[in-house]
Each structure stands twice: as C-alpha cells, then as structure tokens.
PDB file of all heavy atoms in Angstrom:
ATOM      1  N   TYR A 258       0.830  -1.201   0.000  1.00 95.00           N
ATOM      2  CA  TYR A 258       0.000   0.000   0.000  1.00 95.00           C
ATOM      3  C   TYR A 258       0.867   1.254   0.000  1.00 95.00           C
ATOM      4  O   TYR A 258       0.623   2.196  -0.764  1.00 95.00           O
ATOM      5  CB  TYR A 258      -0.915  -0.018   1.221  1.00 95.00           C
ATOM      6  CG  TYR A 258      -1.792   1.196   1.379  1.00 95.00           C
ATOM      7  CD1 TYR A 258      -2.666   1.581   0.364  1.00 95.00           C
ATOM      8  CD2 TYR A 258      -1.759   1.958   2.546  1.00 95.00           C
ATOM      9  CE1 TYR A 258      -3.481   2.695   0.513  1.00 95.00           C
ATOM     10  CE2 TYR A 258      -2.571   3.067   2.707  1.00 95.00           C
ATOM     11  CZ  TYR A 258      -3.429   3.431   1.677  1.00 95.00           C
ATOM     12  OH  TYR A 258      -4.223   4.545   1.827  1.00 95.00           O
ATOM     13  N   ALA A 259       1.902   1.258   0.830  1.00 94.00           N
ATOM     14  CA  ALA A 259       2.764   2.436   0.936  1.00 94.00           C
ATOM     15  C   ALA A 259       3.564   2.683  -0.341  1.00 94.00           C
ATOM     16  O   ALA A 259       3.708   3.829  -0.790  1.00 94.00           O
ATOM     17  CB  ALA A 259       3.710   2.278   2.128  1.00 94.00           C
ATOM     18  N   LYS A 260       4.099   1.619  -0.950  1.00 94.00           N
ATOM     19  CA  LYS A 260       4.972   1.771  -2.118  1.00 94.00           C
ATOM     20  C   LYS A 260       4.217   1.878  -3.440  1.00 94.00           C
ATOM     21  O   LYS A 260       4.653   2.567  -4.366  1.00 94.00           O
ATOM     22  CB  LYS A 260       5.940   0.592  -2.189  1.00 94.00           C
ATOM     23  CG  LYS A 260       6.933   0.529  -1.041  1.00 94.00           C
ATOM     24  CD  LYS A 260       7.824  -0.709  -1.161  1.00 94.00           C
ATOM     25  CE  LYS A 260       8.785  -0.815   0.004  1.00 94.00           C
ATOM     26  NZ  LYS A 260       9.605  -2.061  -0.065  1.00 94.00           N
ATOM     27  N   HIS A 261       3.092   1.156  -3.533  1.00 94.00           N
ATOM     28  CA  HIS A 261       2.414   1.058  -4.825  1.00 94.00           C
ATOM     29  C   HIS A 261       0.967   1.536  -4.795  1.00 94.00           C
ATOM     30  O   HIS A 261       0.315   1.548  -5.841  1.00 94.00           O
ATOM     31  CB  HIS A 261       2.449  -0.400  -5.321  1.00 94.00           C
ATOM     32  CG  HIS A 261       3.820  -0.995  -5.358  1.00 94.00           C
ATOM     33  ND1 HIS A 261       4.730  -0.720  -6.361  1.00 94.00           N
ATOM     34  CD2 HIS A 261       4.446  -1.853  -4.509  1.00 94.00           C
ATOM     35  CE1 HIS A 261       5.850  -1.390  -6.138  1.00 94.00           C
ATOM     36  NE2 HIS A 261       5.704  -2.083  -5.017  1.00 94.00           N
ATOM     37  N   GLY A 262       0.473   1.926  -3.647  1.00 93.00           N
ATOM     38  CA  GLY A 262      -0.925   2.325  -3.547  1.00 93.00           C
ATOM     39  C   GLY A 262      -1.886   1.173  -3.768  1.00 93.00           C
ATOM     40  O   GLY A 262      -3.057   1.373  -4.111  1.00 93.00           O
ATOM     41  N   LEU A 263      -1.395  -0.052  -3.577  1.00 95.00           N
ATOM     42  CA  LEU A 263      -2.193  -1.249  -3.815  1.00 95.00           C
ATOM     43  C   LEU A 263      -3.243  -1.389  -2.722  1.00 95.00           C
ATOM     44  O   LEU A 263      -2.914  -1.466  -1.541  1.00 95.00           O
ATOM     45  CB  LEU A 263      -1.284  -2.473  -3.832  1.00 95.00           C
ATOM     46  CG  LEU A 263      -1.844  -3.744  -4.452  1.00 95.00           C
ATOM     47  CD1 LEU A 263      -2.014  -3.583  -5.952  1.00 95.00           C
ATOM     48  CD2 LEU A 263      -0.907  -4.908  -4.169  1.00 95.00           C
ATOM     49  N   LEU A 264      -4.507  -1.425  -3.102  1.00 96.00           N
ATOM     50  CA  LEU A 264      -5.577  -1.536  -2.121  1.00 96.00           C
ATOM     51  C   LEU A 264      -5.829  -2.992  -1.754  1.00 96.00           C
ATOM     52  O   LEU A 264      -5.621  -3.896  -2.554  1.00 96.00           O
ATOM     53  CB  LEU A 264      -6.860  -0.914  -2.670  1.00 96.00           C
ATOM     54  CG  LEU A 264      -6.823   0.599  -2.918  1.00 96.00           C
ATOM     55  CD1 LEU A 264      -8.163   1.078  -3.435  1.00 96.00           C
ATOM     56  CD2 LEU A 264      -6.424   1.369  -1.662  1.00 96.00           C
ATOM     57  N   MET A 265      -6.289  -3.194  -0.541  1.00 96.00           N
ATOM     58  CA  MET A 265      -6.543  -4.525  -0.022  1.00 96.00           C
ATOM     59  C   MET A 265      -8.017  -4.646   0.367  1.00 96.00           C
ATOM     60  O   MET A 265      -8.598  -3.712   0.906  1.00 96.00           O
ATOM     61  CB  MET A 265      -5.702  -4.803   1.231  1.00 96.00           C
ATOM     62  CG  MET A 265      -4.252  -4.423   1.108  1.00 96.00           C
ATOM     63  SD  MET A 265      -3.390  -5.396  -0.129  1.00 96.00           S
ATOM     64  CE  MET A 265      -1.895  -4.396  -0.281  1.00 96.00           C
ATOM     65  N   CYS A 266      -8.585  -5.801   0.117  1.00 98.00           N
ATOM     66  CA  CYS A 266      -9.933  -6.117   0.575  1.00 98.00           C
ATOM     67  C   CYS A 266      -9.834  -7.273   1.547  1.00 98.00           C
ATOM     68  O   CYS A 266      -9.312  -8.340   1.206  1.00 98.00           O
ATOM     69  CB  CYS A 266     -10.829  -6.478  -0.609  1.00 98.00           C
ATOM     70  SG  CYS A 266     -12.484  -6.998  -0.109  1.00 98.00           S
ATOM     71  N   LEU A 267     -10.338  -7.083   2.742  1.00 97.00           N
ATOM     72  CA  LEU A 267     -10.225  -8.092   3.781  1.00 97.00           C
ATOM     73  C   LEU A 267     -11.493  -8.947   3.816  1.00 97.00           C
ATOM     74  O   LEU A 267     -12.608  -8.443   3.964  1.00 97.00           O
ATOM     75  CB  LEU A 267     -10.020  -7.418   5.136  1.00 97.00           C
ATOM     76  CG  LEU A 267      -9.464  -8.289   6.265  1.00 97.00           C
ATOM     77  CD1 LEU A 267      -8.077  -8.804   5.916  1.00 97.00           C
ATOM     78  CD2 LEU A 267      -9.411  -7.485   7.565  1.00 97.00           C
ATOM     79  N   THR A 268     -11.308 -10.248   3.658  1.00 98.00           N
ATOM     80  CA  THR A 268     -12.399 -11.215   3.774  1.00 98.00           C
ATOM     81  C   THR A 268     -11.946 -12.334   4.703  1.00 98.00           C
ATOM     82  O   THR A 268     -10.841 -12.296   5.240  1.00 98.00           O
ATOM     83  CB  THR A 268     -12.788 -11.807   2.404  1.00 98.00           C
ATOM     84  OG1 THR A 268     -11.695 -12.597   1.904  1.00 98.00           O
ATOM     85  CG2 THR A 268     -13.129 -10.715   1.403  1.00 98.00           C
ATOM     86  N   SER A 269     -12.801 -13.331   4.872  1.00 97.00           N
ATOM     87  CA  SER A 269     -12.466 -14.443   5.746  1.00 97.00           C
ATOM     88  C   SER A 269     -12.520 -15.762   4.989  1.00 97.00           C
ATOM     89  O   SER A 269     -13.311 -15.924   4.060  1.00 97.00           O
ATOM     90  CB  SER A 269     -13.432 -14.501   6.935  1.00 97.00           C
ATOM     91  OG  SER A 269     -13.171 -15.639   7.730  1.00 97.00           O
ATOM     92  N   ARG A 270     -11.700 -16.709   5.428  1.00 97.00           N
ATOM     93  CA  ARG A 270     -11.702 -18.039   4.827  1.00 97.00           C
ATOM     94  C   ARG A 270     -12.760 -18.955   5.448  1.00 97.00           C
ATOM     95  O   ARG A 270     -12.948 -20.076   4.983  1.00 97.00           O
ATOM     96  CB  ARG A 270     -10.319 -18.683   4.996  1.00 97.00           C
ATOM     97  CG  ARG A 270      -9.979 -19.054   6.428  1.00 97.00           C
ATOM     98  CD  ARG A 270      -8.611 -19.659   6.590  1.00 97.00           C
ATOM     99  NE  ARG A 270      -8.472 -20.292   7.896  1.00 97.00           N
ATOM    100  CZ  ARG A 270      -7.382 -20.917   8.323  1.00 97.00           C
ATOM    101  NH1 ARG A 270      -6.317 -20.992   7.549  1.00 97.00           N
ATOM    102  NH2 ARG A 270      -7.353 -21.479   9.513  1.00 97.00           N
ATOM    103  N   VAL A 271     -13.476 -18.497   6.493  1.00 96.00           N
ATOM    104  CA  VAL A 271     -14.348 -19.407   7.237  1.00 96.00           C
ATOM    105  C   VAL A 271     -15.674 -19.693   6.541  1.00 96.00           C
ATOM    106  O   VAL A 271     -16.354 -20.661   6.862  1.00 96.00           O
ATOM    107  CB  VAL A 271     -14.621 -18.903   8.676  1.00 96.00           C
ATOM    108  CG1 VAL A 271     -13.331 -18.682   9.423  1.00 96.00           C
ATOM    109  CG2 VAL A 271     -15.468 -17.636   8.667  1.00 96.00           C
ATOM    110  N   GLY A 272     -16.077 -18.838   5.594  1.00 93.00           N
ATOM    111  CA  GLY A 272     -17.253 -19.131   4.789  1.00 93.00           C
ATOM    112  C   GLY A 272     -18.556 -18.538   5.275  1.00 93.00           C
ATOM    113  O   GLY A 272     -19.602 -18.762   4.666  1.00 93.00           O
ATOM    114  N   SER A 273     -18.530 -17.754   6.357  1.00 95.00           N
ATOM    115  CA  SER A 273     -19.760 -17.167   6.862  1.00 95.00           C
ATOM    116  C   SER A 273     -19.434 -16.012   7.789  1.00 95.00           C
ATOM    117  O   SER A 273     -18.447 -16.056   8.522  1.00 95.00           O
ATOM    118  CB  SER A 273     -20.579 -18.229   7.616  1.00 95.00           C
ATOM    119  OG  SER A 273     -21.780 -17.694   8.107  1.00 95.00           O
ATOM    120  N   GLY A 274     -20.267 -14.971   7.756  1.00 96.00           N
ATOM    121  CA  GLY A 274     -20.089 -13.845   8.672  1.00 96.00           C
ATOM    122  C   GLY A 274     -19.450 -12.630   8.013  1.00 96.00           C
ATOM    123  O   GLY A 274     -18.755 -12.735   7.012  1.00 96.00           O
ATOM    124  N   ARG A 275     -19.684 -11.471   8.644  1.00 96.00           N
ATOM    125  CA  ARG A 275     -19.205 -10.194   8.115  1.00 96.00           C
ATOM    126  C   ARG A 275     -17.771  -9.887   8.544  1.00 96.00           C
ATOM    127  O   ARG A 275     -17.333 -10.287   9.621  1.00 96.00           O
ATOM    128  CB  ARG A 275     -20.076  -9.037   8.612  1.00 96.00           C
ATOM    129  CG  ARG A 275     -21.441  -8.942   7.995  1.00 96.00           C
ATOM    130  CD  ARG A 275     -22.215  -7.771   8.612  1.00 96.00           C
ATOM    131  NE  ARG A 275     -21.572  -6.501   8.321  1.00 96.00           N
ATOM    132  CZ  ARG A 275     -21.311  -5.558   9.234  1.00 96.00           C
ATOM    133  NH1 ARG A 275     -21.588  -5.776  10.510  1.00 96.00           N
ATOM    134  NH2 ARG A 275     -20.751  -4.428   8.879  1.00 96.00           N
ATOM    135  N   ILE A 276     -17.104  -9.140   7.695  1.00 96.00           N
ATOM    136  CA  ILE A 276     -15.845  -8.473   8.055  1.00 96.00           C
ATOM    137  C   ILE A 276     -16.154  -6.990   8.199  1.00 96.00           C
ATOM    138  O   ILE A 276     -16.795  -6.394   7.327  1.00 96.00           O
ATOM    139  CB  ILE A 276     -14.772  -8.679   6.965  1.00 96.00           C
ATOM    140  CG1 ILE A 276     -14.483 -10.160   6.773  1.00 96.00           C
ATOM    141  CG2 ILE A 276     -13.500  -7.928   7.335  1.00 96.00           C
ATOM    142  CD1 ILE A 276     -13.935 -10.863   7.987  1.00 96.00           C
ATOM    143  N   VAL A 277     -15.720  -6.389   9.298  1.00 93.00           N
ATOM    144  CA  VAL A 277     -16.024  -4.981   9.553  1.00 93.00           C
ATOM    145  C   VAL A 277     -14.772  -4.135   9.346  1.00 93.00           C
ATOM    146  O   VAL A 277     -13.649  -4.608   9.503  1.00 93.00           O
ATOM    147  CB  VAL A 277     -16.592  -4.778  10.967  1.00 93.00           C
ATOM    148  CG1 VAL A 277     -17.894  -5.553  11.126  1.00 93.00           C
ATOM    149  CG2 VAL A 277     -15.586  -5.225  12.026  1.00 93.00           C
ATOM    150  N   ARG A 278     -14.989  -2.869   8.997  1.00 93.00           N
ATOM    151  CA  ARG A 278     -13.883  -1.953   8.688  1.00 93.00           C
ATOM    152  C   ARG A 278     -13.587  -1.087   9.917  1.00 93.00           C
ATOM    153  O   ARG A 278     -14.271  -0.114  10.196  1.00 93.00           O
ATOM    154  CB  ARG A 278     -14.242  -1.077   7.493  1.00 93.00           C
ATOM    155  CG  ARG A 278     -13.044  -0.380   6.860  1.00 93.00           C
ATOM    156  CD  ARG A 278     -13.495   0.509   5.732  1.00 93.00           C
ATOM    157  NE  ARG A 278     -12.379   1.007   4.938  1.00 93.00           N
ATOM    158  CZ  ARG A 278     -12.368   2.195   4.346  1.00 93.00           C
ATOM    159  NH1 ARG A 278     -13.421   3.001   4.464  1.00 93.00           N
ATOM    160  NH2 ARG A 278     -11.330   2.572   3.623  1.00 93.00           N
ATOM    161  N   SER A 279     -12.571  -1.457  10.632  1.00 91.00           N
ATOM    162  CA  SER A 279     -12.180  -0.710  11.825  1.00 91.00           C
ATOM    163  C   SER A 279     -11.426   0.558  11.426  1.00 91.00           C
ATOM    164  O   SER A 279     -10.962   0.689  10.286  1.00 91.00           O
ATOM    165  CB  SER A 279     -11.281  -1.573  12.705  1.00 91.00           C
ATOM    166  OG  SER A 279     -10.033  -1.794  12.041  1.00 91.00           O
ATOM    167  N   PRO A 280     -11.266   1.526  12.357  1.00 91.00           N
ATOM    168  CA  PRO A 280     -10.468   2.728  12.048  1.00 91.00           C
ATOM    169  C   PRO A 280      -9.042   2.383  11.615  1.00 91.00           C
ATOM    170  O   PRO A 280      -8.493   3.030  10.719  1.00 91.00           O
ATOM    171  CB  PRO A 280     -10.484   3.496  13.376  1.00 91.00           C
ATOM    172  CG  PRO A 280     -11.737   3.075  14.047  1.00 91.00           C
ATOM    173  CD  PRO A 280     -11.915   1.627  13.674  1.00 91.00           C
ATOM    174  N   GLY A 281      -8.457   1.349  12.237  1.00 89.00           N
ATOM    175  CA  GLY A 281      -7.105   0.961  11.857  1.00 89.00           C
ATOM    176  C   GLY A 281      -7.036   0.445  10.435  1.00 89.00           C
ATOM    177  O   GLY A 281      -6.097   0.767   9.678  1.00 89.00           O
ATOM    178  N   LEU A 282      -8.000  -0.350  10.027  1.00 89.00           N
ATOM    179  CA  LEU A 282      -8.030  -0.859   8.655  1.00 89.00           C
ATOM    180  C   LEU A 282      -8.226   0.280   7.652  1.00 89.00           C
ATOM    181  O   LEU A 282      -7.645   0.269   6.564  1.00 89.00           O
ATOM    182  CB  LEU A 282      -9.148  -1.889   8.489  1.00 89.00           C
ATOM    183  CG  LEU A 282      -8.960  -3.236   9.172  1.00 89.00           C
ATOM    184  CD1 LEU A 282     -10.198  -4.096   8.987  1.00 89.00           C
ATOM    185  CD2 LEU A 282      -7.723  -3.954   8.616  1.00 89.00           C
ATOM    186  N   THR A 283      -9.049   1.250   8.007  1.00 90.00           N
ATOM    187  CA  THR A 283      -9.289   2.390   7.129  1.00 90.00           C
ATOM    188  C   THR A 283      -7.992   3.132   6.849  1.00 90.00           C
ATOM    189  O   THR A 283      -7.682   3.475   5.704  1.00 90.00           O
ATOM    190  CB  THR A 283     -10.320   3.343   7.760  1.00 90.00           C
ATOM    191  OG1 THR A 283     -11.523   2.617   8.035  1.00 90.00           O
ATOM    192  CG2 THR A 283     -10.621   4.503   6.842  1.00 90.00           C
ATOM    193  N   LYS A 284      -7.194   3.384   7.902  1.00 89.00           N
ATOM    194  CA  LYS A 284      -5.915   4.098   7.738  1.00 89.00           C
ATOM    195  C   LYS A 284      -4.938   3.308   6.868  1.00 89.00           C
ATOM    196  O   LYS A 284      -4.105   3.893   6.165  1.00 89.00           O
ATOM    197  CB  LYS A 284      -5.287   4.359   9.104  1.00 89.00           C
ATOM    198  CG  LYS A 284      -6.039   5.374   9.954  1.00 89.00           C
ATOM    199  CD  LYS A 284      -5.371   5.531  11.313  1.00 89.00           C
ATOM    200  CE  LYS A 284      -6.141   6.505  12.191  1.00 89.00           C
ATOM    201  NZ  LYS A 284      -5.543   6.629  13.540  1.00 89.00           N
ATOM    202  N   ARG A 285      -5.039   1.987   6.915  1.00 91.00           N
ATOM    203  CA  ARG A 285      -4.093   1.144   6.176  1.00 91.00           C
ATOM    204  C   ARG A 285      -4.529   0.856   4.742  1.00 91.00           C
ATOM    205  O   ARG A 285      -3.889   0.077   4.042  1.00 91.00           O
ATOM    206  CB  ARG A 285      -3.899  -0.179   6.927  1.00 91.00           C
ATOM    207  CG  ARG A 285      -3.231  -0.007   8.290  1.00 91.00           C
ATOM    208  CD  ARG A 285      -3.255  -1.298   9.070  1.00 91.00           C
ATOM    209  NE  ARG A 285      -2.603  -2.383   8.343  1.00 91.00           N
ATOM    210  CZ  ARG A 285      -2.846  -3.673   8.554  1.00 91.00           C
ATOM    211  NH1 ARG A 285      -3.750  -4.035   9.444  1.00 91.00           N
ATOM    212  NH2 ARG A 285      -2.196  -4.580   7.864  1.00 91.00           N
ATOM    213  N   GLY A 286      -5.633   1.475   4.288  1.00 88.00           N
ATOM    214  CA  GLY A 286      -6.066   1.278   2.912  1.00 88.00           C
ATOM    215  C   GLY A 286      -6.827   0.001   2.670  1.00 88.00           C
ATOM    216  O   GLY A 286      -6.952  -0.448   1.530  1.00 88.00           O
ATOM    217  N   PHE A 287      -7.350  -0.585   3.731  1.00 94.00           N
ATOM    218  CA  PHE A 287      -8.131  -1.812   3.588  1.00 94.00           C
ATOM    219  C   PHE A 287      -9.602  -1.492   3.334  1.00 94.00           C
ATOM    220  O   PHE A 287     -10.149  -0.525   3.860  1.00 94.00           O
ATOM    221  CB  PHE A 287      -8.037  -2.673   4.851  1.00 94.00           C
ATOM    222  CG  PHE A 287      -6.878  -3.620   4.872  1.00 94.00           C
ATOM    223  CD1 PHE A 287      -5.661  -3.232   5.401  1.00 94.00           C
ATOM    224  CD2 PHE A 287      -7.010  -4.901   4.367  1.00 94.00           C
ATOM    225  CE1 PHE A 287      -4.584  -4.111   5.438  1.00 94.00           C
ATOM    226  CE2 PHE A 287      -5.945  -5.790   4.392  1.00 94.00           C
ATOM    227  CZ  PHE A 287      -4.728  -5.389   4.927  1.00 94.00           C
ATOM    228  N   VAL A 288     -10.224  -2.322   2.549  1.00 97.00           N
ATOM    229  CA  VAL A 288     -11.671  -2.313   2.354  1.00 97.00           C
ATOM    230  C   VAL A 288     -12.214  -3.577   3.012  1.00 97.00           C
ATOM    231  O   VAL A 288     -11.635  -4.654   2.868  1.00 97.00           O
ATOM    232  CB  VAL A 288     -12.022  -2.303   0.850  1.00 97.00           C
ATOM    233  CG1 VAL A 288     -13.508  -2.516   0.632  1.00 97.00           C
ATOM    234  CG2 VAL A 288     -11.548  -1.008   0.201  1.00 97.00           C
ATOM    235  N   ALA A 289     -13.310  -3.462   3.735  1.00 97.00           N
ATOM    236  CA  ALA A 289     -13.917  -4.629   4.368  1.00 97.00           C
ATOM    237  C   ALA A 289     -14.895  -5.284   3.405  1.00 97.00           C
ATOM    238  O   ALA A 289     -15.758  -4.618   2.827  1.00 97.00           O
ATOM    239  CB  ALA A 289     -14.639  -4.232   5.653  1.00 97.00           C
ATOM    240  N   GLY A 290     -14.769  -6.598   3.241  1.00 97.00           N
ATOM    241  CA  GLY A 290     -15.547  -7.320   2.244  1.00 97.00           C
ATOM    242  C   GLY A 290     -16.924  -7.754   2.687  1.00 97.00           C
ATOM    243  O   GLY A 290     -17.546  -8.581   2.004  1.00 97.00           O
ATOM    244  N   ASP A 291     -17.425  -7.226   3.825  1.00 97.00           N
ATOM    245  CA  ASP A 291     -18.736  -7.613   4.336  1.00 97.00           C
ATOM    246  C   ASP A 291     -18.762  -9.139   4.512  1.00 97.00           C
ATOM    247  O   ASP A 291     -17.819  -9.713   5.060  1.00 97.00           O
ATOM    248  CB  ASP A 291     -19.847  -7.108   3.411  1.00 97.00           C
ATOM    249  CG  ASP A 291     -21.214  -7.096   4.093  1.00 97.00           C
ATOM    250  OD1 ASP A 291     -21.538  -6.106   4.764  1.00 97.00           O
ATOM    251  OD2 ASP A 291     -21.945  -8.103   3.951  1.00 97.00           O
ATOM    252  N   ASN A 292     -19.801  -9.823   4.028  1.00 97.00           N
ATOM    253  CA  ASN A 292     -19.855 -11.277   4.174  1.00 97.00           C
ATOM    254  C   ASN A 292     -19.597 -11.993   2.847  1.00 97.00           C
ATOM    255  O   ASN A 292     -19.920 -13.176   2.702  1.00 97.00           O
ATOM    256  CB  ASN A 292     -21.196 -11.735   4.765  1.00 97.00           C
ATOM    257  CG  ASN A 292     -22.362 -11.523   3.804  1.00 97.00           C
ATOM    258  OD1 ASN A 292     -22.275 -10.718   2.885  1.00 97.00           O
ATOM    259  ND2 ASN A 292     -23.456 -12.241   4.032  1.00 97.00           N
ATOM    260  N   LEU A 293     -19.009 -11.274   1.882  1.00 98.00           N
ATOM    261  CA  LEU A 293     -18.696 -11.898   0.601  1.00 98.00           C
ATOM    262  C   LEU A 293     -17.561 -12.909   0.752  1.00 98.00           C
ATOM    263  O   LEU A 293     -16.575 -12.650   1.444  1.00 98.00           O
ATOM    264  CB  LEU A 293     -18.293 -10.839  -0.425  1.00 98.00           C
ATOM    265  CG  LEU A 293     -19.412  -9.987  -1.014  1.00 98.00           C
ATOM    266  CD1 LEU A 293     -18.821  -8.879  -1.884  1.00 98.00           C
ATOM    267  CD2 LEU A 293     -20.389 -10.839  -1.819  1.00 98.00           C
TER     268      LEU A 293
END
C-alpha cells in the first residue's frame, strides 16, 4: 500500500459472517468485504 498504492480487501476463509472496517483498517487502505 505504501509503495504502490495497492488496495486490499479483507475477507475471511471461514465461509460465513461479516468483516467490519475498523479505524485501523481504514488508515491502512483496507476495504472490508462484508460477508462476501
């Protein structure tokens, strides 16, 4: 993210449930993938 501006989407491998976007993730350029 710092060197290339590459954005990240955070999801889970467990197969169910939401991922939420915390203030820390927002600062780090992460997008929360909800329950996708």
Side-chain angles (χ1 to χ4, degrees):
Y258 178 57
K260 294 178 182 177
H261 307 282
L263 197 69
L264 295 181
M265 313 295 166
C266 176
L267 198 62
T268 66
S269 176
R270 69 181 194 179
V271 304
S273 180
R275 287 178 64 228
I276 300 298
V277 299
R278 196 183 191 213
S279 68
L282 289 176
T283 303
K284 291 178 182 178
R285 295 171 58 203
F287 272 90
V288 171
D291 198 86
N292 69 339
L293 285 173

